[in-house]
Amino acid sequence: MNKPLLIEIGVEELPAIPFLKELPNIEKKWMNILENNKLGCDFDFFYTPRRLVLWHREFPISQPNNIVEQFGAPIKIAYKDGEPTAAALGFAKKCGVDVQELDQIDQGKGPVLYFKQELIGKQSELLLNDMINEFINSLNFGKSMRWGSRTDSFIRPIRNLSVLFDNKIVDAELFGVKSSNNSFGHRMVSYEPFSYDFAGDYFCKLDKHGVILYPDERRKRILEQMKELEKINNIKIDIDEELLEEVVAITEYPTALIGKFDEEFLELPEEVIVTSMKEHQRYFAVYESGNLTNKFIVVSNSKTDDFSAIIAGNEKVLRPRLADGMFFYKNDITNGLNNEGLKKLVFVEGLGSMYEKCEREAIIADYLASRFDVSQKDLLNKAVMLSKADLMSEMVYEFTELQGLMGYYYAKIANEDELVYTALKEQYLPDGENSDLPSNKFSSIVALSYKLDNLMGLFSVGKIPTGSKDPFGLRRAAAGIVKIAIEHKLPINLEQIIDDLSENYKDLDKKQLVEFFNERFFKIFDVNPSVLKAVLGSNEKDVYQISLKLCALNPIVQSDNFKEFSSTFKRVANIIKDMDISNNITIDETLFEDNEEKDLFKAYFDITSKQYNDYELELDALFSLKIQLDNFFDNVFVNHENEKIKTNRKNLIALVYKAFRNIADIKEITI
């Protein structure tokens, strides 16, 4: 039998960011507790900044009864001369019964001691207190706090607890707060608690007391209000999804309002204004005709009929924020980009200062420019040596997320070359899963130099990712190098680059770093892992060429008829598995005895003597050899008694295999 269960844990305002980080785990953790207690059921989880709510429409009133069977020692061991031995007595003790209560059972190997009992499931009401405490203790929000005289801690003080099962208050306690049928509404409605008699009453009264419990409804309300503001004011609101979720998490009754700031602040770079509003005030930026305006959207948590004072208050608070930004900006322009201060800024222990890091990156950039036929080496050196200079600016000190971007603005104002200031803006790209990439080869070299120095430098001082820990983002850096190589068709041979530049990185384990890169390929490329293994088996080192080979081979492997091809070409691989094909392979046509040999060799020669514009065409041609190969295997005996003929036939198969292995080692492919 099932009954409704409502659990509300009332707290002081939850900080949005740590809460949202844990949010994806909350339902999973409660479900695990339910299942561990054999009370698994469907439920809904709702939240506001002041409450966590678990609602179960049908919750089991008890654990299910359970039949437990236990098997003991063979009877001939359990009893001696009709008396129970230590084995029988021990088994009875384990079962919690007297030895006379034990049974016997024969499952085909002779009779053994046997005990069967039905365990009656515990009443849910008796388990809920411990389950709720376990649930709260399992939540990980990072920092926690203590309050009053308590020694235990949580992210914020617990102020009320409601556990209502079948419309009855369950005897439960959390952080010294006992369960009741009381809850709290919006503070602007009442500071006093309200009581309720059943779950439906709770939801109804919560709504009447100014609380929109369901986060989806709060989100919908905000978006609808923003859409209306856009229509009325002929504007476009930049709906930052991350900020939207944060606003949903900190409001119980949201209302989107439009405010203004002085137009003089539009002199600031757009990103400075948007970042200042988002990070400091949780405001949304507003655009007109594609340009940032001196308006903003604030989502209020107030419940009132007159929002004028709230709008005025938010406008007043924003002004000094933007004034500080303007002060920093003008100071930075006056001081200009200067990298001398980087000499005192430590990069990582063992790798010197940020200035020394730039010097290492400049060496990498010069090396890559030679490999990629980029002639502007002086500009590259300037771009790299200025790339971290904005770390010394007041603006980046205030907003670290603007590093690189402020360098772009300051270099542009200083009339630096467009290639230089664009590279400063794009030096950290790609910086996420769906991030943009550097827009040109020049910027790509600057970005690659930064990432390669991070990898070689940090590996050389033992800062290597382990498990899920990657504090320096080295996995992301490796993926970024691959994405840049593919986007700009750059011939990046990571093994060669690491080998050529390793002299600048003492104690670098080159083999370990190359293996790290190769492991990342399996995360970066969305292909059958065996296909990637096959391509790597071709001894291809160029990242861009690896990507082209994968794009050509993977669709063929995924095709419906590949199994037919696979059996033929696996046979090719098996025949030459003991051969050393690294040397030149020769064919003596005078030793051909069968037409199938001649046909295969002619088809092979015709295919391999042509030039192909891409791997797709070359693979299509090679796979067309299946007809000649099948005829060969059906009609030609490879292991001829004449050793020369046998060798010649194996060499013919080896030539076919070797032609494939220029693209991929086909024996590695599994489907």
Side-chain angles (χ1 to χ4, degrees):
M1 183 180 291
N2 300 319
K3 299 288 185 180
L5 169 65
L6 174 69
I7 301 171
E8 184 198 56
I9 300 163
V11 296
E12 292 190 5
E13 271 80 357
L14 294 166
I17 293 176
F19 172 75
L20 289 172
K21 286 181 179 179
E22 178 67 358
L23 181 58
N25 305 316
I26 291 178
E27 291 187 44
K28 296 175 187 176
K29 289 182 175 181
W30 180 243
M31 179 57 76
N32 287 338
I33 291 171
L34 292 178
E35 291 176 350
N36 290 340
N37 284 274
K38 298 181 176 61
L39 294 171
C41 63
D42 293 333
F43 66 92
D44 292 309
F45 171 68
F46 308 118
Y47 64 88
T48 77
R50 299 174 61 210
R51 73 201 74 235
L52 306 174
V53 177
L54 294 161
W55 164 232
H56 317 70
R57 290 174 176 81
E58 295 186 341
F59 193 84
I61 63 171
S62 67
Q63 296 174 324
N65 297 338
N66 189 27
I67 302 296
V68 177
E69 294 181 293
Q70 298 187 69
F71 302 89
I75 296 302
K76 60 184 178 182
I77 296 175
Y79 292 93
K80 187 173 183 180
D81 298 330
E83 295 296 323
T85 64
L89 295 172
F91 181 67
K93 184 177 180 181
K94 176 184 175 183
C95 296
V97 297
D98 192 83
V99 70
Q100 283 79 21
E101 297 179 59
L102 298 177
D103 292 323
Q104 300 179 20
I105 192 171
D106 190 340
Q107 294 182 309
K109 295 183 179 180
V112 298
L113 290 175
Y114 173 71
F115 183 73
K116 176 181 177 181
Q117 67 180 145
E118 182 180 15
L119 296 180
I120 305 301
K122 292 182 179 179
Q123 294 295 304
S124 299
E125 188 173 336
L126 302 176
L127 301 169
L128 283 171
N129 181 70
D130 289 342
M131 290 169 62
I132 294 169
N133 277 269
E134 180 185 353
F135 169 64
I136 286 296
N137 290 327
S138 74
L139 300 181
N140 181 13
F141 299 107
K143 294 181 179 180
S144 60
M145 61 181 292
R146 296 191 181 100
W147 61 94
S149 60
R150 302 196 64 81
T151 57
D152 44 12
S153 62
F154 191 55
I155 187 172
R156 286 293 183 270
I158 303 291
R159 292 311 186 199
N160 69 284
L161 173 66
S162 296
V163 185
L164 207 66
F165 187 34
D166 191 20
N167 302 331
K168 297 177 182 177
I169 300 171
V170 174
D171 185 15
E173 183 175 329
L174 187 62
F175 291 89
V177 177
K178 292 185 178 296
S179 176
S180 70
N181 61 337
N182 293 326
S183 185
F184 290 86
H186 195 289
R187 286 197 176 100
M188 293 189 73
V189 174
S190 175
Y191 281 95
E192 297 300 316
F194 66 84
S195 62
Y196 56 93
D197 298 321
F198 53 92
D201 191 26
Y202 166 80
F203 292 118
C204 182
K205 287 185 175 177
L206 202 60
D207 183 62
K208 289 179 179 178
H209 282 75
V211 175
I212 301 175
L213 177 61
Y214 314 118
D216 287 345
E217 284 193 16
R218 298 199 299 277
R219 186 182 299 105
K220 180 181 177 182
R221 175 182 168 88
I222 293 168
L223 291 173
E224 286 177 347
Q225 291 174 343
M226 285 184 171
K227 190 174 182 179
E228 185 65 19
L229 287 172
E230 286 181 327
K231 182 179 178 181
I232 293 171
N233 297 279
N234 194 28
I235 58 174
K236 181 67 178 176
I237 301 169
D238 178 23
I239 302 176
D240 183 299
E241 290 296 330
E242 187 179 82
L243 179 57
L244 177 62
E245 293 309 309
E246 192 174 341
V247 169
V248 168
I250 62 173
T251 56
E252 290 190 321
Y253 194 86
T255 303
L257 308 169
I258 188 166
K260 293 183 178 181
F261 58 85
D262 294 341
E263 286 192 16
E264 65 182 277
F265 293 120
L266 290 175
E267 180 185 340
L268 285 166
E270 177 181 321
E271 295 85 353
V272 172
I273 298 172
V274 173
T275 302
S276 180
M277 291 196 301
K278 176 184 175 182
E279 298 298 323
H280 288 154
Q281 305 302 136
R282 297 191 179 99
Y283 297 162
F284 294 85
V286 174
Y287 293 80
E288 290 180 2
S289 302
N291 298 314
L292 184 71
T293 70
N294 63 321
K295 299 181 178 70
F296 64 89
I297 301 297
V298 57
V299 179
S300 169
N301 190 37
S302 300
K303 200 168 189 309
T304 178
D305 295 326
D306 182 6
F307 288 96
S308 57
I310 294 170
I311 294 172
N314 280 278
E315 291 175 340
K316 183 178 179 181
V317 169
L318 181 58
R319 180 178 174 79
R321 295 290 191 186
L322 295 179
D324 286 345
M326 184 69 83
F327 177 77
F328 298 148
Y329 182 60
K330 290 186 174 179
N331 270 3
D332 289 340
I333 292 173
T334 300
N335 296 329
L337 280 177
N338 191 316
N339 62 11
E340 283 298 309
L342 297 177
K343 293 178 179 179
K344 296 180 181 179
L345 184 63
V346 176
F347 170 44
V348 171
E349 186 178 351
L351 292 174
S353 67
M354 288 300 298
Y355 189 90
E356 290 171 301
K357 174 172 172 56
C358 290
E359 289 181 316
R360 292 193 303 271
E361 289 181 22
I363 294 171
I364 298 173
D366 184 78
Y367 170 86
L368 294 178
S370 297
R371 293 182 67 89
F372 302 158
D373 298 322
V374 174
S375 59
Q376 305 102 323
K377 288 192 173 183
D378 288 342
L379 282 179
L380 266 175
N381 185 75
K382 180 176 235 184
V384 171
M385 292 307 296
L386 285 176
S387 62
K388 312 299 181 295
D390 66 353
L391 295 177
M392 306 308 299
S393 69
E394 293 183 52
M395 189 67 78
V396 173
Y397 183 82
E398 180 71 12
F399 299 110
T400 56
E401 61 267 46
L402 295 180
Q403 58 185 288
L405 189 62
M406 297 315 301
Y408 158 79
Y409 281 112
Y410 298 148
K412 191 174 183 179
I413 290 169
N415 294 316
E416 295 289 354
D417 190 281
E418 183 179 359
L419 284 172
V420 172
Y421 61 70
T422 301
L424 298 192
K425 179 171 67 172
E426 298 178 347
Q427 64 181 297
Y428 300 113
L429 299 179
D431 55 4
E433 187 69 27
N434 300 309
S435 164
D436 291 334
L437 294 165
S439 59
N440 56 58
K441 193 182 290 187
F442 187 97
S443 291
S444 294
I445 291 176
V446 176
L448 288 168
S449 301
Y450 167 72
K451 291 171 173 59
L452 285 166
D453 178 71
N454 279 358
L455 284 156
M456 289 188 283
L458 292 163
F459 262 73
S460 72
V461 294
K463 306 291 186 182
I464 302 169
T466 56
S468 61
K469 295 181 180 178
D470 186 12
F472 296 98
L474 297 186
R475 294 188 180 102
R476 186 171 64 246
I481 291 170
V482 174
K483 290 177 180 179
I484 291 172
I486 295 171
E487 175 71 14
H488 293 285
K489 303 178 181 179
L490 300 176
I492 294 182
N493 182 330
L494 293 167
E495 192 169 330
Q496 185 67 54
I497 291 172
I498 293 168
D499 193 54
D500 290 346
L501 296 171
S502 61
E503 64 180 6
N504 299 315
Y505 301 89
K506 185 181 178 182
D507 300 325
L508 173 62
D509 187 331
K510 294 184 287 186
K511 182 179 178 182
Q512 185 184 35
L513 182 52
V514 170
E515 288 176 352
F516 173 79
F517 267 113
N518 288 341
E519 288 172 3
R520 300 317 305 157
F521 289 151
F522 288 92
K523 299 290 185 182
I524 296 166
F525 294 112
D526 184 21
V527 298
N528 181 327
S530 73
V531 175
L532 176 56
K533 192 175 180 182
V535 170
L536 295 177
S538 71
N539 206 34
E540 181 63 70
K541 306 297 183 184
D542 186 316
V543 171
Y544 178 56
Q545 294 302 317
I546 288 172
S547 72
L548 292 180
K549 290 181 177 183
L550 288 171
C551 288
L553 181 58
N554 197 55
I556 296 174
V557 175
Q558 290 181 324
S559 65
D560 294 336
N561 59 349
F562 183 72
K563 282 188 178 180
E564 297 176 19
F565 286 102
S566 178
S567 59
T568 297
F569 292 101
K570 283 293 178 71
R571 195 169 178 183
V572 169
N574 287 333
I575 287 175
I576 57 90
K577 63 183 178 182
D578 297 323
M579 293 178 64
D580 180 6
I581 61 172
S582 59
N583 298 320
N584 288 332
I585 298 172
T586 59
I587 295 294
D588 186 350
E589 292 183 69
T590 64
L591 294 175
F592 289 156
E593 292 185 339
D594 301 312
N595 289 333
E596 289 78 9
E597 294 177 272
K598 298 173 186 177
D599 291 344
L600 178 57
F601 183 67
K602 182 181 183 303
Y604 161 81
F605 184 80
D606 289 344
I607 288 170
T608 56
S609 60
K610 294 178 182 177
Q611 294 293 322
Y612 297 93
N613 294 327
D614 55 51
Y615 292 119
E616 285 92 342
L617 293 174
E618 187 174 356
L619 279 171
D620 285 342
L622 288 170
F623 275 111
S624 72
L625 288 172
K626 174 176 165 50
I627 297 171
Q628 289 81 10
L629 282 166
D630 286 342
N631 288 335
F632 179 90
F633 291 137
D634 290 342
N635 299 289
V636 178
F637 183 59
V638 176
N639 292 318
H640 197 281
E641 59 185 12
N642 184 317
E643 194 65 33
K644 288 184 178 180
I645 294 175
K646 173 183 175 181
T647 300
N648 202 54
R649 289 175 175 176
K650 292 185 73 172
N651 282 352
L652 177 56
I653 299 302
L655 282 177
V656 174
Y657 177 79
K658 199 168 183 179
F660 269 98
R661 208 182 66 166
N662 289 333
I663 300 175
D665 189 346
I666 55 175
K667 74 174 185 296
E668 298 292 347
I669 300 174
T670 58
I671 54 173

